[in-house]
Amino acid sequence: MPIALYTSFIAEEFREEGREQGRTEGRAEGRARDILLVLETRGIAVSDDVRERIGSCRDSVLMKSWFEHAVTADSAEKIFETT
């Protein structure tokens, strides 16, 4: 196998891995914005700690739960409570 073909194959694997990571991070950032938007639209105060916790999460299942709780929670902290 020519070395150029081999290095090109490896480089493409790294590029694809980077693209997937970027897509995952983009989805998480979008979900975080959605959660914050719901809370803010409802007039719920969001502390810096809550904002940081939401913004740093990359667990899509957990963020879906937080989003669902954001629709009815009476405080930002309550979105983290499990039912």
Side-chain angles (χ1 to χ4, degrees):
M1 174 183 296
I3 191 75
L5 183 59
Y6 181 72
T7 56
S8 176
F9 177 73
I10 291 172
E12 183 56 35
E13 284 186 31
F14 282 118
R15 281 192 292 274
E16 183 55 37
E17 185 178 310
R19 283 191 288 270
E20 182 57 35
Q21 183 179 4
R23 285 189 288 270
T24 299
E25 289 176 8
R27 285 189 294 270
E29 289 171 3
R31 180 61 75 163
R33 281 192 304 271
D34 292 345
I35 293 167
L36 294 170
L37 179 62
V38 167
L39 292 170
E40 291 166 357
T41 299
R42 295 186 56 234
I44 306 288
V46 180
S47 70
D48 289 341
D49 289 341
V50 168
R51 190 175 300 278
E52 174 61 29
R53 185 170 176 187
I54 293 169
S56 64
C57 182
R58 295 296 177 255
D59 181 332
S60 61
V61 173
L62 185 57
M63 291 186 74
K64 181 180 184 293
S65 173
W66 292 351
F67 181 81
E68 291 168 351
H69 284 99
V71 174
T72 58
D74 58 10
S75 75
E77 291 77 12
K78 288 198 176 176
I79 70 167
F80 305 124
E81 294 179 2
T82 58
T83 56

